[in-house]
Amino acid sequence: MSEPATDAPGLSDAERDELRRHGILLTKIEELVNLGRSKSVWPLQFGLACCAIEMIAASMARFDIARFGSEVFRPSPRQADLLIVSGTVTKKMAPQVVRLWNQMPEPKYCIAMGACAISGGPFKQGYNVLKGIDRFIPVDVYIPGCPPRPEALLHGLIQLQEQIRTAKSSGPKTTRHLRPGDCNYPVPEFGDRDLEPPANPAVWQPPQIVRSEKA
Amino acid sequence: METLEQIRDRLLARFPGAEVTLVTNPGAAAQHSLSLGLAHAAAMALFLRDDAELKLDYCSNVTGVDWPEKEIIESTKVSVPDPAGGPAKIVEQKTKRIQPGSLEVVYHLYSMAKKHGPVIIRLRTANRTDRANVPSLTPVWRSCEFQEREVFDLFGVKFDGHPDLRRILMWDEFTAHPMRKDYVEPDDYEWEPTPHGTVLDKAKAHYPPSALVAAAPAAPAHGAPTHAAPAPKEAPKP
Ligand code: SF4
C-alpha cells in the first residue's frame, strides 16, 4: 500500500507496471535508495549464545546468507547496519549490547533472534537474564525458535528487507531514523540488585493482562 | 586408596588438636566426606596433596552449600505423677531448638598420579553473616581460584588468603548472593501464558488484581482479518 501524498499523482501501481512493460521506468529516489539499502544489509559480527551458532551456519556455504547481500559481517559497529541479537542477553551483557547499538550509524536495524533475545526464553525465570532485548532497543524483526534454523534467520532477513524497501521518508509512516528525536538509547547502569533502570520506558512497556469474562 | 576412616586417623595423628569428622551420606550415592576444622584446614589440604600414599594433586570441583537457620522440634515423653494419687500420666513435651545456619564449601579431590579419588572434604563457616570465612585452598590447588570466586559471588563465603577475591559472574556493584536460600529476586516478572506454582505466586505479586484489564471485546466474526495476538485464556486468579 502506498501513501497517496507521496506517490506520483494520477499514476497507480498497475499503470506503472504497464509502463515498465513498455520500457519506461518510473520511480522515486526514495525507492531507489531503499532498494539499494535493502540489498546490502551488513550485520555486526557479534554472537551471544547458542543461537549464534545457527547465525554462523547461515553465513557459511550451505545456507549462504551472501545470496541476500548480508555476507559481510563487520567486526566494528561503526560499519554495520544490522544488529542480530543472537542469544541470551545476561544483565551483565545488556549495557554493552545497548552501547554497541548506539555506536552503529543510522539507518540501523535490529533482529531479535531466538527465544532468549525475545523474552529471556528458557532463562525467563532467572535473576540474571534480561527478559528480552526489546526492553532497551527497538527491535524490527523477531525470529522465534530455540534456536531458529538458519532458514528462519534468512526468512527474518527477507522480512527486514521488505520493511526497508517499503520504508517512507516522510508522512505518518516515516522510518524510525528519520523521525525527530535523540537517537541515543540510554545505557543501563549496574545497580546493586538489578539493572538501573530495568527497562527503557520509551521503547518498552510491560504487557497488560487481559482478563476474559467467563459466564 | 585408603578408606576415609584411615585418612581421618592419619590426619588426626599428624595434626594433633585438629578437628576432622567423617560426614556420612545416607543417600544412594553414599559419597562420604571429611569435614575439616578451619584452624588446620590449609595445612591438612597441603598434607593431602603431598602425602606419598594419597597424592591428591587435582581439585576438580568446588561447591557451595547454604544451610539456613533451622528450627528443630524435639518431642520427649515424660511421665508426670498424678497429684490425686492415680497412675502417673505420660505427657509429651516439645522443645524447640534453633540449629544455627552456616555456609559450607565442598572440594572434590582426585589424584592424577595415583589414579584414584574422589576424596571429598568440607569446610564449614561459623555462621552465615559476619563470620562467613574459610581459609582459601587456592594456594594448594590452583584450579580452585575461579571456583572459589564463584562460591564467593553466589554464596558470599569469604576465602581468607585468596589472591584475587572478586565477583566472577555478577557485576561488581551487585550486593546480594543469589544462590542463598533467602535470596529475593528482582521483580522483573512478566506475564506468561500458563503460570503455575511459584511462577503463579510471582505473577500475583507482580500484577495486583487492580492492574488487570477487563476483557477485550469478543473475537471478530469468522473470516474477518485479525492480527492481534490470541487473547490469554485466563489471567492468574488473585
Ligand atoms: S533461544 Fe535457545 S538456542 Fe537461542 S540462545 Fe536461547 S537457549 Fe540458546
Side-chain angles (χ1 to χ4, degrees):
Chain A
M1 237 184 277
S2 51
E3 295 282 312
T6 56
D7 265 354
L11 272 184
S12 69
D13 284 351
E15 282 165 331
R16 284 202 288 166
D17 278 351
E18 182 63 30
L19 280 174
R20 180 175 290 179
R21 262 202 294 284
H22 295 296
I24 302 168
L25 179 63
L26 264 189
T27 186
K28 285 177 286 182
I29 293 288
E30 179 185 288
E31 281 177 9
L32 279 179
V33 166
N34 284 344
L35 188 69
R37 252 179 208 159
S38 71
K39 298 298 177 194
S40 133
V41 183
W42 288 4
L44 182 62
Q45 187 172 45
F46 158 78
L48 283 172
C50 7
C51 276
I53 306 296
E54 298 297 304
M55 180 181 75
I56 296 162
S59 74
M60 299 311 294
R62 189 181 178 93
F63 296 99
D64 195 10
I65 205 169
R67 292 178 291 160
F68 306 96
S70 293
E71 75 278 22
V72 193
F73 278 77
R74 300 312 299 180
S76 158
R78 313 270 178 208
Q79 302 166 346
D81 307 313
L82 169 63
L83 179 70
I84 305 179
V85 184
S86 54
T88 322
V89 187
T90 58
K91 286 179 182 166
K92 202 172 174 182
M93 191 65 185
Q96 281 73 271
V97 178
V98 180
R99 206 166 276 137
L100 282 174
W101 173 253
N102 281 343
Q103 289 177 354
M104 285 165 58
E106 294 281 9
K108 56 191 173 186
Y109 310 96
C110 175
I111 289 182
M113 179 182 182
C116 285
I118 295 174
S119 69
F123 315 108
K124 193 178 170 64
Q125 305 301 330
Y127 58 89
N128 58 340
V129 170
L130 187 69
K131 286 145 193 79
I133 191 61
D134 52 1
R135 292 190 172 210
F136 288 110
I137 62 184
V139 175
D140 294 291
V141 175
Y142 296 85
I143 308 176
C146 180
R149 296 228 359 126
E151 293 95 320
L153 178 60
L154 296 180
H155 180 70
L157 180 67
I158 293 168
Q159 294 296 310
L160 181 69
Q161 290 179 339
E162 193 62 28
Q163 283 183 22
I164 299 174
R165 238 175 22 77
T166 55
K168 295 274 175 277
S169 59
S170 61
K173 287 189 186 159
T174 313
T175 55
R176 183 183 45 75
H177 74 276
L178 293 176
R179 280 181 232 141
D182 189 4
C183 55
N184 254 336
Y185 288 80
V187 178
E189 303 269 335
F190 290 132
D192 61 348
R193 301 192 71 83
D194 200 358
L195 290 176
E196 291 295 333
N200 177 0
V203 296
W204 185 83
Q205 294 290 339
Q208 282 190 317
I209 293 189
V210 179
R211 181 196 288 274
S212 61
E213 304 290 346
K214 278 229 178 99
Chain B
M1 197 182 66
E2 293 168 298
T3 62
L4 279 185
E5 285 85 358
Q6 286 168 324
I7 298 177
R8 177 193 59 192
D9 294 343
R10 283 212 297 140
L11 279 173
L12 285 175
R14 174 80 174 64
F15 300 95
E19 283 171 57
V20 183
T21 17
L22 186 70
V23 184
T24 52
N25 178 349
Q31 281 207 319
H32 311 308
S33 52
L34 290 176
S35 181
L36 308 185
L38 300 187
H40 294 78
M44 284 193 278
L46 212 56
F47 173 79
L48 292 176
R49 187 190 71 181
D50 294 338
D51 181 65
E53 277 299 304
L54 290 168
K55 275 247 174 292
L56 296 166
D57 49 11
Y58 174 53
C59 174
S60 80
N61 190 21
V62 182
T63 320
V65 186
D66 183 16
W67 298 100
E69 218 165 63
K70 200 166 152 191
E71 197 181 81
I72 295 182
I73 300 174
E74 284 162 343
S75 61
T76 42
K77 292 209 167 109
V78 207
S79 74
V80 182
D82 193 351
K89 269 194 236 158
I90 306 264
V91 179
E92 211 170 296
Q93 267 187 347
K94 286 198 172 150
T95 47
K96 275 188 199 169
R97 167 165 82 80
I98 304 275
Q99 180 181 306
S102 65
L103 298 162
E104 202 169 45
V105 189
V106 184
Y107 295 79
H108 285 65
L109 310 177
Y110 290 81
S111 171
M112 289 284 167
K114 298 260 177 184
K115 302 207 172 9
H116 62 213
V119 171
I120 302 164
I121 59 174
R122 301 163 171 251
L123 309 180
R124 201 176 254 252
T125 65
N127 62 23
R128 297 170 76 245
T129 48
D130 55 334
R131 291 175 61 208
N133 298 56
V134 297
S136 167
L137 299 189
T138 305
V140 185
W141 293 285
R142 270 306 300 276
S143 55
C144 297
E145 182 180 347
F146 277 15
Q147 304 204 34
E148 285 185 347
R149 277 178 67 184
E150 191 177 334
V151 173
F152 165 71
D153 187 352
L154 302 181
F155 287 92
V157 179
K158 292 177 198 70
F159 291 89
D160 300 326
H162 191 285
D164 181 25
L165 196 61
R166 285 178 296 135
R167 284 184 181 271
I168 190 169
L169 297 174
M170 306 306 287
W171 48 91
D172 290 338
E173 293 85 347
F174 197 73
T175 50
H177 301 294
M179 293 285 271
R180 287 203 186 185
K181 300 226 195 264
D182 50 6
Y183 172 67
V184 183
E185 293 168 29
D187 183 17
D188 55 356
Y189 180 80
E190 207 182 291
W191 183 82
E192 63 178 71
T194 52
H196 53 83
T198 52
V199 180
L200 178 57
D201 295 339
K202 274 201 227 170
K204 283 180 194 167
H206 188 86
Y207 287 108
S210 56
L212 302 181
V213 192
H222 181 71
T226 168
H227 300 290
K233 282 280 177 302
E234 219 165 82
K237 295 242 161 58

